[in-house]
Amino acid sequence: MAHDVVLIPGDGIGPEITQAMRRVVEATGVQINWNVQEAGAGVMDEFGTPLPQHVLDAVAETKVAIKGPITTPVGTGFRSVNVALRKHFDLYACVRPCLSQPGDGSRFCDVDLVIVRENTEDLYAGIEFDEGAAEVEELSQLVERSGQKTFAADSAISIKPISIAKSRRIVEYAFEYARRCGRKKGLTAVHKANIMKATDGLFLRVAREVAANYPDIEFNDKIVDATCMGLVQNPNDFDVLVLPNLYGDIVSDLCAGLVGGLGMAPGSNIGADCAIFEATHGSAPDIAGQDIANPTAEILSAAMMLDHLGENDAANRIRAAVSATLDEGKQVTGDVRRAQTGSVEGAVGTQAFADAVIAHLA
């Protein structure tokens, strides 16, 4: 069976790492009908936006996309193309597995975590008012009338909405993920409810209510700062973590640092009707076009995509081939080579790394 997938190469190193990813996926024998769509800085002159409507239409039709990193041009009205895609398709669950790889250069060798981050609200909802805006004065008066301590007149304001419905759906998604993937150590809801009693308190209350429906999965909760300390001391104490948007962004990058950095960390953004897969790192324009970027995160994101498409055997073969290539250590990119030996001597390029992965596909 062939699968229709939108491929958004992106900019910077995006075209290089997506080319490597595409070659690896095709080498598995899975039939993909790639619908290549351009987005980002390179289309601004032609369309006046980094995210043209026809790209959105293509993703809406296939309901599955994989993308390279995209640099959002300054002054477009977009906070970022990634955020625009998540909002347009209501991709409410950001899922980032963090799994140790051979020679990843980290302090730990057996990390196996999954971060499930709510993707649509919290401080990242984008409800902000600049210092001096009339709304700031109105909000100040509202706060004062409520009997709470008001804020300085020269403040800028961000509003943090946390809803019952969106908290419930992300926690339910995390529990279903843990059950489906056989995660053994359970699920941790991460929060700051000791201080943010209304917003984070709501998130925690809903998480506890949902947990009662999953007695087969161990549940606990932990304050976000204590979680960060625990992760860097002993990441094996954790398994699946579910977090509101801002904490999820920070903690997912922290966990990526436990497994060699963002170059090793795949990601997906999942909605009820659509899924977009992507490496979690940036576009690295300083090394674009040099064939030195590490495509591991993009290739592993493709493995997540194949799982989503029901091609689990091919997905597992890709993960095994990546691990074998890194473990062998003979055909790895410069960042990995440096982590393994302290020098980039003997490193290979982006496409040569993909060749090695392809050679290891069983």
Side-chain angles (χ1 to χ4, degrees):
M1 173 183 175
H3 304 279
D4 296 328
V5 174
V6 169
L7 171 59
I8 305 174
D11 46 39
I13 61 172
E16 298 164 74
I17 63 171
T18 55
Q19 179 187 359
M21 172 277 298
R22 180 172 174 172
R23 293 173 53 230
V24 171
V25 170
E26 291 172 348
T28 67
V30 174
Q31 298 298 308
I32 302 289
N33 297 323
W34 301 101
N35 181 354
V36 180
Q37 296 286 337
E38 298 294 340
V43 303
M44 278 292 295
D45 289 343
E46 183 176 359
F47 298 105
T49 172
L51 187 57
Q53 183 62 43
H54 64 264
V55 178
L56 297 173
D57 292 343
V59 176
E61 182 176 354
T62 64
K63 302 187 184 305
V64 180
I66 186 165
K67 58 180 288 295
I70 295 176
T71 303
T72 302
V74 175
T76 66
F78 281 85
R79 284 174 169 250
S80 82
V81 171
N82 291 338
V83 170
L85 285 167
R86 292 167 191 169
K87 287 187 175 181
H88 184 85
F89 293 107
D90 193 24
L91 305 176
Y92 66 89
C94 179
V95 183
R96 293 190 179 182
C98 295
L99 179 68
S100 292
Q101 297 287 351
D104 62 22
S106 69
R107 292 177 173 82
F108 302 96
C109 61
D110 55 356
V111 176
D112 186 3
L113 301 168
V114 179
I115 308 301
V116 179
R117 163 189 168 192
E118 202 289 320
N119 230 0
T120 66
E121 54 181 4
D122 193 5
L123 284 170
Y124 283 9
I127 307 171
E128 294 191 301
F129 302 98
D130 290 330
E131 177 271 326
E135 293 86 353
V136 173
E137 176 61 26
E138 293 176 22
L139 287 168
S140 176
Q141 294 173 7
L142 175 63
V143 171
E144 190 170 357
R145 288 197 303 271
S146 73
Q148 301 185 65
K149 184 178 179 180
T150 190
F151 46 83
D154 60 349
S155 297
I157 301 294
S158 291
I159 294 179
K160 174 178 174 168
I162 300 285
S163 69
I164 292 173
K166 292 183 178 181
S167 295
R168 178 169 288 115
R169 74 174 177 177
I170 194 63
V171 176
E172 287 177 345
Y173 180 92
F175 270 106
E176 291 294 334
Y177 180 97
R179 177 181 283 173
R180 182 173 69 252
C181 297
R183 308 296 298 195
K184 302 298 184 183
K185 298 179 185 177
L187 186 144
T188 302
V190 182
H191 60 88
K192 191 67 175 175
N194 58 325
I195 303 298
M196 304 282 188
K197 297 183 184 297
T199 50
D200 286 30
L202 182 151
F203 180 82
L204 177 57
R205 183 177 76 248
V206 171
R208 288 171 172 170
E209 291 171 357
V210 172
N213 298 323
Y214 293 86
D216 55 315
I217 299 174
E218 182 180 348
F219 172 78
N220 64 86
D221 68 86
K222 203 169 185 68
I223 295 171
V224 63
D225 42 342
T227 300
C228 291
M229 182 181 70
L231 283 165
V232 299
Q233 287 184 320
N234 188 6
N236 288 312
D237 287 345
F238 300 89
D239 193 353
V240 178
L241 296 89
V242 61
L243 312 90
N245 205 341
L246 174 61
Y247 307 148
D249 189 14
I250 296 168
V251 171
S252 60
D253 278 13
L254 183 154
C255 290
L258 299 175
V259 296
L262 294 176
M264 296 287 188
S268 62
N269 296 284
I270 309 294
D273 301 311
C274 183
I276 299 179
F277 300 83
E278 61 183 346
T280 59
H281 55 70
S283 59
D286 57 319
I287 62 169
Q290 300 178 41
D291 189 44
I292 61 174
N294 182 358
T296 297
E298 189 76 17
I299 293 170
L300 293 176
S301 297
M304 296 180 71
M305 180 189 73
L306 291 173
D307 279 329
H308 179 78
L309 294 171
E311 300 285 357
N312 305 98
D313 177 67
N316 289 332
R317 287 164 55 210
I318 286 176
R319 283 186 279 262
V322 168
S323 181
T325 302
L326 294 171
D327 188 37
E328 189 176 66
K330 294 179 179 178
Q331 291 180 282
V332 295
T333 52
D335 56 330
V336 178
R337 191 69 173 174
R338 185 183 296 108
Q340 293 175 339
T341 68
S343 168
V344 297
E345 185 177 353
V348 301
T350 307
Q351 302 310 319
F353 177 82
D355 291 338
V357 173
I358 290 168
H360 280 100
L361 283 171

